[in-house]
């Protein structure tokens, strides 16, 4: 037991929170293993030392009784992170050992590892959690708010597909409600962050012969749009001296933070090993690292700091991917539907090789435009994970499909992560097409 209100091994500020020598903090170490389920409650005394000087301050007389939970008692079920939003957005699942495992499933201690990795895992697990309670509470709040925002956004986007004859007509450049067309002036409106902006479809028809008597010619299509980028979240630092920019840069820096964290783990493990080795060489019997060891306390705080920052970067990249991927998918789907509405001679090639989407831009690699390029490059690359399936609308739609009321040909849309259509696709976008249109054109 120790007096005082601060845990020197649970830092909560911007630097090491180890107590100073002036704070009269005492500590005593009691190995509890021998007292587990012990029926004879013996009274014993243990030495009490000053936390920082190591000076013997007296003895503490205790009676200890330790009872472990019975196996029959139900244990709380952990929600697996695999299949969650981070995994769904394509961010790699970490094999780095961080405790608690906030963004990945717990790695079983008996999982097949090489001996070095398994020993490292066990060493880290004996050191406890590397996040503070304040950080966890803040992450719960931030992530809950983001998920609530995404849920509300989905419902509003669904309503935008429904026809409302009483809806007030607002000029496009002033409209901030979800609509099929989003003006560039709404870039910083977070509610619209999943909709591509300034998206227009242009068709060039080339015909042979006189007007009104022309033979069937060719059609060429072009989609103009704004670069898929998360303007609402901006491109500034995520936290003080933290990473900044668009997705490509943020994700590269996330990997750098991961390496920093692994290096910090190694430094802490080595420092603790050196401490116990030195103690044995000096014929000292010790089973813990005293809080007065400022070197190890500082290294442990560094692991706290990097662990919390790494998870913060991971979540920021995840939400950014949600917004940018949604925009890129909207642009690509507009191009695909425009092409298939007029020309089906290439459909066999699309089925065999995929639908080719080429993006060209006039952005510079300076300031915010560099961040836009970094966002767009990741969002566009994620389109490789999407397969599109066209089905006649007379078939039974999925229960959670979304009706499209205003379209003359598309009756409903449905998106899932079922990869039965293509083994390489993580997402399947199914479109229910008007049966007659499907028969004639598809």
């Amino acid at each position: 037991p120790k007096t005082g209100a601060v845990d020197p091994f649970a830092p909560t500020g911007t630097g090491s929170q180890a107590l100073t020598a002036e704070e009269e903090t005492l500590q005593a170490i009691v190995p509890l293993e021998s007292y587990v389920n012990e029926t004879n409650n013996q009274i014993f005394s243990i030495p009490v030392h000053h936390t920082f000087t190591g000076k013997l301050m007296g003895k503490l007389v205790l009676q200890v009784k330790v009872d472990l939970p019975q196996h029959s008692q139900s244990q709380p079920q952990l929600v697996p992170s695999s299949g969650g939003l981070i995994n769904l957005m394509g961010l790699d699942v970490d094999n780095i050992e961080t405790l608690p495992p906030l963004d990945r499933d717990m790695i079983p201690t008996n999982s097949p590892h090489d001996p070095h990795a398994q020993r490292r895992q066990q060493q880290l697990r004996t050191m406890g959690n590397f996040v503070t309670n304040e950080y966890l509470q803040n992450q719960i709040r931030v992530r809950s708010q983001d998920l609530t925002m995404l849920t509300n956004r989905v419902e509003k986007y669904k309503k935008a597909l429904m026809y409302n004859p009483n809806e007030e007509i607002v000029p496009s450049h002033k409209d901030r409600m979800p609509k099929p067309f989003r003006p560039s002036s709404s870039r910083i409106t977070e509610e619209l962050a999943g909709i591509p902006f300034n998206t227009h479809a242009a068709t060039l028809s080339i015909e042979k012969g006189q007007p009104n008597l022309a033979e069937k010619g060719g059609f060429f299509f072009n989609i103009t749009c704004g670069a898929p980028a998360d303007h609402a979240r901006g491109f500034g630092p995520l936290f003080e001296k933290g990473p900044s920019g668009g997705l490509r840069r943020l994700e590269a820096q996330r990997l750098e933070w991961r390496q920093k964290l692994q290096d910090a783990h190694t430094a802490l493990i080595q420092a603790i090993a050196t401490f116990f080795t030195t103690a044995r060489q000096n014929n000292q019997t010790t089973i813990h690292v005293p809080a007065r060891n400022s070197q190890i306390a500082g290294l442990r705080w560094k692991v706290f700091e990097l662990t919390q920052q790494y998870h913060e970067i991971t979540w920021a990249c995840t939400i950014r991917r949600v917004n940018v991927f949604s925009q890129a998918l909207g642009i690509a789907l507009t191009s695909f539907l425009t092409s298939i509405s007029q020309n089906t001679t290439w459909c066999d090639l699309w089925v065999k090789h995929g639908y080719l989407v080429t993006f060209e831009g006039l952005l510079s690699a300076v300031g915010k435009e560099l961040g836009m390029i970094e966002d767009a490059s990741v969002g566009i690359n994620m389109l490789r994970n999407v397969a599109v399936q066209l089905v006649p609308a007379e078939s039974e739609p999925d229960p959670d499909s979304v009706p499209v009321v205003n379209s003359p040909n598309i009756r409903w849309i449905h998106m899932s992560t079922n990869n039965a259509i293509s083994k390489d696709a993580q997402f399947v976008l199914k479109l229910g097409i008007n049966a007659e249109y499907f028969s004639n054109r598809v």
Side-chain angles (χ1 to χ4, degrees):
K2 68 176 189 283
T3 60
V6 180
D7 178 358
F9 275 178
T12 56
T14 57
S16 177
Q17 299 295 305
L19 298 177
T20 62
E22 289 75 17
E23 295 178 278
E24 293 295 331
T25 303
L26 309 179
Q27 64 179 11
I29 306 300
V30 182
L32 297 177
E33 288 82 356
S34 59
Y35 300 98
V36 175
N37 298 327
E38 177 63 44
T39 57
N40 298 323
N41 301 324
Q42 299 180 356
I43 298 176
F44 62 97
S45 64
I46 57 173
V48 179
H49 295 87
H50 193 282
T51 300
F52 297 96
T53 66
K55 180 181 178 181
L56 180 63
M57 304 299 291
K59 293 185 178 181
L60 193 62
V61 178
L62 294 175
Q63 184 181 45
V64 178
K65 187 176 186 297
V66 181
D67 293 321
L68 295 181
Q70 299 298 319
H71 294 292
S72 59
Q73 294 181 354
S74 60
Q75 299 295 323
Q77 296 295 320
L78 297 178
V79 178
S81 63
S82 55
L85 189 60
I86 293 174
N87 183 262
L88 189 65
M89 286 296 103
L91 287 176
D92 54 319
V93 178
D94 299 322
N95 56 8
I96 184 173
E97 182 69 28
T98 56
L99 293 174
L102 300 181
D103 297 326
R104 60 159 179 77
D105 295 335
M106 176 71 77
I107 301 175
T109 54
N110 60 352
S111 60
H113 286 136
D114 62 82
H116 173 73
Q118 195 166 31
R119 181 182 179 186
R120 179 184 177 91
Q121 180 188 106
Q122 293 171 346
Q123 289 170 327
L124 289 171
R125 289 190 177 185
T126 63
M127 299 179 191
N129 293 336
F130 291 113
V131 296
T132 63
N133 181 65
E134 290 84 355
Y135 173 80
L136 284 177
Q137 294 301 320
N138 181 64
Q139 280 294 291
I140 291 173
R141 179 184 60 81
V142 170
R143 298 188 181 197
S144 297
Q145 288 177 349
D146 286 339
L147 293 177
T148 299
M149 175 269 295
L150 292 176
T151 302
N152 293 338
R153 182 192 296 177
V154 168
E155 295 304 316
K156 291 183 178 181
Y157 286 8
K158 288 180 180 180
K159 290 181 179 179
L161 296 174
M162 307 296 290
Y163 175 67
N164 182 5
N166 300 320
E167 184 177 10
E168 180 183 358
I169 299 178
V170 180
S172 295
H173 67 283
K174 294 182 179 180
D175 198 349
R176 295 297 180 269
M177 296 298 292
K179 292 290 193 305
F181 177 77
R182 176 189 174 195
S184 58
S185 57
S186 68
R187 285 194 300 267
I188 61 174
T189 305
E190 187 173 17
E191 189 177 79
L192 306 181
I195 303 175
F197 55 88
N198 274 358
T199 303
H200 300 266
T203 303
L204 172 63
S205 173
I206 299 180
E207 300 176 345
K208 181 180 178 180
Q210 299 296 323
N212 301 323
L213 298 175
E215 299 179 12
K216 185 176 181 180
F219 294 90
F220 298 87
F221 310 96
N222 186 55
I223 306 298
T224 59
C225 59
D230 195 352
H231 292 274
R233 291 186 173 252
F235 304 97
L238 298 181
F239 47 82
E240 186 178 358
K241 297 182 181 180
S244 61
L247 272 172
R248 191 169 182 175
R249 196 183 339 166
L250 287 174
E251 292 180 8
Q253 293 178 77
R254 174 177 176 259
L255 298 181
E256 294 176 6
W257 242 262
R258 178 193 297 178
Q259 187 59 52
K260 291 179 184 179
L261 178 55
Q262 289 178 318
D263 293 343
H265 282 163
T266 301
L268 179 59
I269 291 172
Q270 291 175 346
I272 292 176
T274 300
F275 170 82
F276 284 111
T277 300
T278 303
R280 284 194 299 268
Q281 291 173 348
N282 295 332
N283 296 320
Q284 298 175 350
T285 302
T286 181
I287 59 174
H288 82 294
V289 178
R292 63 180 177 274
N293 191 310
S294 59
Q295 179 200 11
I296 293 179
L299 290 173
R300 195 167 191 267
W301 164 247
K302 190 63 178 178
V303 175
F304 265 83
E305 186 177 49
L306 290 171
T307 299
Q308 295 176 172
Q309 291 174 346
Y310 177 70
H311 286 297
E312 186 172 347
I313 296 170
T314 297
W315 185 251
C317 288
T318 299
I319 296 299
R320 200 172 191 94
R321 273 191 170 224
V322 170
N323 294 332
V324 174
F325 172 58
S326 178
Q327 293 182 31
L329 180 59
I331 295 168
L333 189 59
T334 299
S335 176
F336 175 73
L337 292 176
T338 302
S339 299
I340 206 171
S341 65
Q342 297 292 341
N343 190 331
T344 59
T345 58
W346 294 332
C347 285
D348 290 340
L349 290 177
W350 296 342
V351 171
K352 184 177 181 180
H353 300 289
Y355 179 74
L356 178 63
V357 183
T358 302
F359 284 80
E360 298 179 3
L362 301 175
L363 296 172
S364 67
V366 178
K368 291 183 178 180
E369 292 194 1
L370 175 59
M372 294 166 64
I373 295 174
E374 294 165 342
D375 271 356
S377 65
V378 174
I380 293 170
N381 189 60
M382 291 178 70
L383 295 175
R384 300 175 183 271
N385 300 324
V386 180
V388 178
Q389 183 183 20
L390 304 179
V391 297
E394 61 187 15
S395 60
E396 187 68 22
D398 294 272
D400 53 348
S401 60
V402 180
V404 183
V405 177
N406 291 334
S407 172
N409 299 314
I410 301 177
R411 293 292 181 260
W412 49 263
I413 60 177
H414 177 264
M415 192 167 188
S416 70
T417 56
N418 182 2
N419 59 5
I421 306 301
S422 171
K423 64 179 182 179
D424 299 322
Q426 185 175 3
F427 301 97
V428 174
L429 184 63
K430 187 182 295 185
L431 303 176
I433 307 296
N434 176 282
E436 182 180 355
Y437 186 89
F438 182 91
S439 176
N440 295 333
R441 295 297 185 93
V442 180

